[in-house]
């Protein structure tokens, strides 16, 4: 595997999950793969789980790791072509990228949607420039439209906890005070659609995701109806996708918060969220602290998803 940006790069998911569980059982079995190899992790946005889990995964594989916070530890970078650089950005990404490639063997990039242009966001300009100009294998640590490391960890967690061969999985929108990207819900939908499990997406009108990510999921605007009989409930906020409201908050209805009454409609479902989570907006304290909450095991599996991805990239070098 040369690059990793979406579910299709990973191939057969059953094989990938089996490999993940093997890695989880013996995290240092492939330490020889990363010997004398360097991972560079580049962050255009803040991170806790992605930073720590990916660095730990690389260390498990014997890699050296360098971390660059673009907005704190480097020159401000211009990303657009044709710009007269007479402002506060003294370096262009088109020079910075190949320079970064000189110092490492693999590059991880984290760059969120800017909500300035839907076209720019959904064309993944920054991530694709790294793929095009770095000369190195590149993997996404969350981009404008997808967060594949998170979704892979989500799937591993579901496979570890499912009680039936074809569980019902519900992804529900929940309120949030700020406009958040569609990357996590897009990616989760894309991955779950590949499993063939029963999949329902529920949200208020106006929060429809791009059709290529919704796929075969059933869209239900009645949250309570959607939650009936669910085996897994994945809560997440996202900003509007459709024009003219792209990137905007158009609803803050607190009745969409996931609480114990909502969870009582399910089949004793497990609760999932990618974290960080706004308590008592996205989910109530009693639900996220319940025995059915998987948010910590889910976060722990971020190390495993990253390690499988890095392992496959190293095997291809």
């Amino acid at each position: 595997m040369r690059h990793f940006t979406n579910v299709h790069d990973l191939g057969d998911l059953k094989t990938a999950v089996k490999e993940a569980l093997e890695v989880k059982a013996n995290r240092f079995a492939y330490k020889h793969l990363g010997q004398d190899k360097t991972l560079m992790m580049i962050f255009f946005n803040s991170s806790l789980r992605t930073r720590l889990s990916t660095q730990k995964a690389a260390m498990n594989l014997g890699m050296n790791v360098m971390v660059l916070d673009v907005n704190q530890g480097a020159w401000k970078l211009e990303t657009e072509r044709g710009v007269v650089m007479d402002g506060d950005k003294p370096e262009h990404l088109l020079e910075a990228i190949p320079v970064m490639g000189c110092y490492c063997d693999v590059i991880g990039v984290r760059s969120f949607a800017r909500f300035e242009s839907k076209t720019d966001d959904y064309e993944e300009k920054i991530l694709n420039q790294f793929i095009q100009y770095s000369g190195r294998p590149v993997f996404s640590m969350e981009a404008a439209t997808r967060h594949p490391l998170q979704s892979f960890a989500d799937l591993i967690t579901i496979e570890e906890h499912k009680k039936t061969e074809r569980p019902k999985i519900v992804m529900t929108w929940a309120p949030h005070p700020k406009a958040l990207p569609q990357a996590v819900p897009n990616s989760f939908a894309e991955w779950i659609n590949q499993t063939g499990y029963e999949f329902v997406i529920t949200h208020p009108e106006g929060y429809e995701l791009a059709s290529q990510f919704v796929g075969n999921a059933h869209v239900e605007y009645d949250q309570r109806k959607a939650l009936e009989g669910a085996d897994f409930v994945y809560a997440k906020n996202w900003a509007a996708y459709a024009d003219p409201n792209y990137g905007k908050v158009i609803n803050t209805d607190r009745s969409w918060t996931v609480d114990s009454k909502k969870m009582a409609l399910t089949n004793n479902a497990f609760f999932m969220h990618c974290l960080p989570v706004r308590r008592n907006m996205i989910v109530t304290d009693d639900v996220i602290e319940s025995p059915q909450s998987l948010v910590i095991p889910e976060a722990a599996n971020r190390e495993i998803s990253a390690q499988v991805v890095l392992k496959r990239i190293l095997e291809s070098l």
Side-chain angles (χ1 to χ4, degrees):
M1 183 170 70
R2 175 70 175 175
H3 304 296
F4 177 72
T5 65
N6 62 65
V7 65
H8 305 293
D9 293 328
L10 206 58
D12 181 71
L13 286 186
K14 289 185 178 179
T15 301
V17 170
K18 180 181 178 182
E19 184 177 349
L21 296 178
E22 291 172 354
V23 165
K24 191 170 183 176
N26 188 354
R27 301 173 198 225
F28 304 104
Y30 300 95
K31 199 166 185 178
H32 60 284
L33 290 174
Q35 184 176 356
D36 300 326
K37 298 291 193 300
T38 298
L39 167 65
M40 181 177 288
M41 298 165 59
I42 300 164
F43 292 89
F44 289 84
N45 303 95
S46 300
S47 174
L48 189 152
R49 277 149 297 277
T50 298
R51 180 188 298 257
L52 297 178
S53 62
T54 308
Q55 188 166 356
K56 179 62 165 62
M59 292 164 63
N60 292 349
L61 291 166
M63 299 186 78
N64 302 310
V65 182
M66 296 189 291
V67 180
L68 178 65
D69 288 296
V70 171
N71 295 322
Q72 296 180 12
W75 301 112
K76 289 186 177 181
L77 297 176
E78 179 56 63
T79 61
E80 298 298 322
R81 288 182 177 273
V83 173
V84 176
M85 293 175 58
D86 59 355
D88 65 341
K89 298 175 181 177
E91 184 160 12
H92 202 287
L93 200 62
L94 294 180
E95 284 78 59
I97 289 173
V99 167
M100 294 176 195
C102 294
Y103 305 142
C104 65
D105 301 282
V106 182
I107 296 176
V109 181
R110 182 177 178 91
S111 179
F112 293 174
R114 296 181 177 182
F115 288 148
E116 296 171 357
S117 163
K118 181 195 289 189
T119 300
D120 287 353
D121 287 343
Y122 274 71
E123 287 180 354
E124 295 288 8
K125 281 192 170 182
I126 291 179
L127 179 63
N128 285 327
Q129 284 185 88
F130 274 93
I131 291 172
Q132 185 174 358
Y133 298 115
S134 70
R136 301 297 182 191
V138 174
F139 66 96
S140 170
M141 300 192 299
E142 187 171 0
T145 62
R146 294 176 174 92
H147 194 350
L149 288 177
Q150 179 64 54
S151 300
F152 188 14
D154 295 336
L155 180 60
I156 295 166
T157 308
I158 289 170
E159 294 302 309
E160 288 179 314
H161 291 86
K162 69 180 184 181
K163 298 177 181 177
T164 178
E165 279 302 306
R166 190 172 183 269
K168 178 181 178 179
I169 301 171
V170 178
M171 180 172 71
T172 178
W173 179 93
H176 194 282
K178 297 176 63 178
L180 299 184
Q182 296 100 23
V184 169
N186 281 348
S187 196
F188 185 76
E190 187 172 55
W191 284 67
I192 299 303
N193 273 317
Q194 291 295 312
T195 67
Y197 296 158
E198 183 179 358
F199 183 40
V200 179
I201 302 174
T202 183
H203 54 73
E205 292 190 20
Y207 279 98
E208 293 79 8
L209 296 169
S211 60
Q212 67 263 34
F213 296 109
V214 175
N216 297 322
H218 172 67
V219 176
E220 173 58 63
Y221 295 101
D222 184 333
Q223 186 191 37
R224 296 179 66 85
K225 183 177 180 182
L227 292 172
E228 291 176 358
D231 297 296
F232 293 88
V233 174
Y234 197 103
K236 186 70 181 75
N237 174 268
W238 60 90
Y241 167 76
D243 295 326
N245 294 315
Y246 176 69
K248 296 180 181 178
V249 175
I250 59 174
N251 191 323
T252 56
D253 184 356
R254 298 289 182 91
S255 72
W256 280 80
T257 299
V258 178
D259 58 22
S260 57
K261 291 182 179 179
K262 304 275 183 63
M263 294 299 289
L265 300 170
T266 71
N267 183 29
N268 195 29
F270 291 105
F271 175 81
M272 300 180 71
H273 188 279
C274 61
L275 302 180
V277 65
R278 299 264 184 157
R279 283 180 174 233
N280 302 306
M281 285 206 70
I282 300 288
V283 59
T284 55
D285 290 335
D286 56 341
V287 171
I288 198 170
E289 293 176 11
S290 76
Q292 294 301 100
S293 174
L294 295 179
V295 296
I296 303 305
E298 189 181 354
N301 277 332
R302 290 293 309 279
E303 175 187 346
I304 307 306
S305 65
Q307 188 164 339
V308 172
V309 167
L310 282 169
K311 171 179 172 291
R312 289 193 177 190
I313 290 174
L314 289 170
E315 287 171 339
S316 72
L317 293 180

